[in-house]
Structure formats: structure tokens, C-alpha cells
Amino acid sequence: MMRLVLLGPPGAGKGTQGVLLAERYGIPQISTGEILRDHVQRGTKLGIQARSYMDRGEYVPDDVVVSMVMDRLAEPDAEKGFILDGFPRTVAQAEALERALSASDRPLTAVLKFSIGGEVAVRRLLGRATCTSCGRTYHLEFKPPAQEGICDVCGGRLERRGDDDELTIRRRIAVYREQASPLEMFYVERDVLYQVDAEGTPDEIFERAVTFLEGLA
Ligand SMILES: [Zn+2]
């Protein structure tokens, strides 16, 4: 049974690892952003509640977000486990999640923290480029296209992400670290936090995560 939470600063490759882990274990990768959009679109009770906060430019309260997450975790595809990405973000959310999971007797298996040095993260994020027509992603340093500025697959034009200037990136990383450290302590205290060295290739990082998870069984 794999019930996982992924933590890690921007640039740690958490999203990529989430996809790989979801494939390996046949469990869904659940992002709160997607759940929220889905509820709002379907006009569910929770969606309408969430919308009223978003319309006022306020954060959706923790209990609404947690209800949505628990609702999603009750779906059949999450029976064998799940991967939460981007949630919880705060200790209050982590506490609410813990209560809800223990009520359904499904405690977390592990919290994987993908850790990476600040400078490595900045270099990774700075080089990212996306194809403007097919959406494929490249990295100017680590995964460059065959021809500069042109997508290998469709010949579309590559563009750097707008929010990827160095100052913005450094600020995002700093904000993340400040938010994440109490959350990490929360999981350290519960003895479920495992630090995965997130420097290296995606395959190397994935191997490290899997080696740890297999060791749990
Ligand atoms: Zn393309």
C-alpha cells in the first residue's frame, strides 16, 4: 500500500517523480489544483463554496480543501493508494489530513521530501523551455532540442516560461522553504519523512525513491 505525500521546492522535480511513481505503483497522482478546478466546473456544493472565496480573492479554507481531497481519495482508483502533490501546504492542512485519514484507517505510508541545493534548483528552473505549439518541455542545458529554439517533435517555436526569471525563481524557492519547514518538522515528528536526494537525472532520483519505498514493505 502506497499512500504518499511529496514535498520539495520548485525545481526539485517533484511533479516528474509523481508521474513516475504513479505509473510504477498504479495509483493516482492527485493535485489539489486539479480537484479544485474540477469541483468548481461541476458546480458541486464544495465547488460553489470554494468559488465564493476565490471570487473574493481569498484563499479557499483548509476544511473545504481537505473535504475535496478526502472526496477524491474515496474514489475506487485510490483504493490501492495515492500520491498527493502540492498538498498539504501548511501544518493546519496536514493535521486535518491526518485526522481524516486516520478516521478511514488509511494513514500515510511515507512523506518523500525531494531535496536539492538552491543553486541547482535555480539552474534547473532557469533553463526550462516549452514548445508553443505541442507543449513538450525542454531544458536548454540538460535536455536541449536538436536545433536551437525549435521543437524536435513538431517544429514549433520554444519559449522560456514567463515566470522563470532568476529573481522570481529565487523568491519562489525562499517562500517555499519558509512555508515548508514547519510542515517538514510535523512529519519528522511522526517519523514518516524521508529525504530523497533530488540532484541527478530523473531516473537516478526515481531509483532512490523506489529503493526506499521497496525497503518499507
Ligand atoms: Zn512541439
Side-chain angles (χ1 to χ4, degrees):
M1 191 67 70
M2 289 292 168
R3 290 182 290 258
L4 308 174
V5 165
L6 308 187
L7 301 178
K14 188 165 55 80
T16 307
Q17 295 303 318
V19 172
L20 296 173
L21 290 166
E23 262 170 34
R24 165 70 63 106
Y25 295 109
I27 52 179
Q29 181 193 20
I30 296 169
S31 113
T32 36
E34 271 168 43
I35 302 180
L36 201 65
R37 276 192 296 277
D38 177 57
H39 273 269
V40 170
Q41 248 168 25
R42 285 190 292 134
T44 64
K45 205 175 137 218
L46 288 169
I48 293 166
Q49 261 180 294
R51 176 117 205 207
S52 71
Y53 291 96
M54 288 151 71
D55 284 346
R56 292 196 299 267
E58 290 169 19
Y59 283 109
V60 180
D62 288 345
D63 59 329
V64 176
V65 180
V66 171
S67 297
M68 283 182 183
V69 171
M70 291 315 292
D71 203 63
R72 176 66 186 84
L73 296 183
E75 281 174 39
D77 68 336
E79 234 164 63
K80 280 172 31 197
F82 53 79
I83 298 170
L84 289 176
D85 177 9
F87 179 87
R89 273 186 206 285
T90 63
V91 171
Q93 288 181 350
E95 282 169 345
L97 177 70
E98 182 180 58
R99 278 194 298 273
L101 287 176
S102 79
S104 58
D105 203 22
R106 307 201 287 174
L108 290 175
T109 312
V111 174
L112 301 183
K113 178 197 170 186
F114 293 94
S115 54
I116 184 171
E119 292 313 307
V120 182
V122 170
R123 261 176 57 215
R124 265 193 201 165
L125 291 169
L126 264 181
R128 290 196 302 185
T130 308
C131 172
T132 50
S133 65
C134 76
R136 179 170 277 258
T137 58
Y138 292 87
H139 194 284
L140 306 179
E141 187 176 345
F142 306 119
K143 190 187 155 196
Q147 205 184 334
E148 200 186 315
I150 308 275
C151 177
D152 291 345
V153 180
C154 76
R157 193 171 46 85
L158 301 187
E159 202 168 62
R160 292 269 295 273
R161 275 179 40 164
D163 56 351
D164 278 357
D165 71 90
E166 189 168 340
L167 205 67
T168 313
I169 288 170
R170 289 189 187 281
R171 198 175 305 130
R172 267 167 55 210
I173 294 174
V175 167
Y176 174 84
R177 292 207 196 279
E178 199 171 303
Q179 274 192 338
S181 81
L183 187 59
E184 288 165 12
M185 275 315 297
F186 176 88
Y187 286 124
V188 166
E189 282 163 10
R190 277 147 184 85
D191 210 19
V192 287
L193 188 92
Y194 178 72
Q195 224 178 110
V196 182
D197 174 3
E199 297 188 11
T201 67
D203 285 343
E204 286 167 351
I205 302 163
F206 180 60
E207 268 323 300
R208 288 177 200 138
V210 168
T211 304
F212 165 73
L213 292 171
E214 306 289 305
L216 286 178

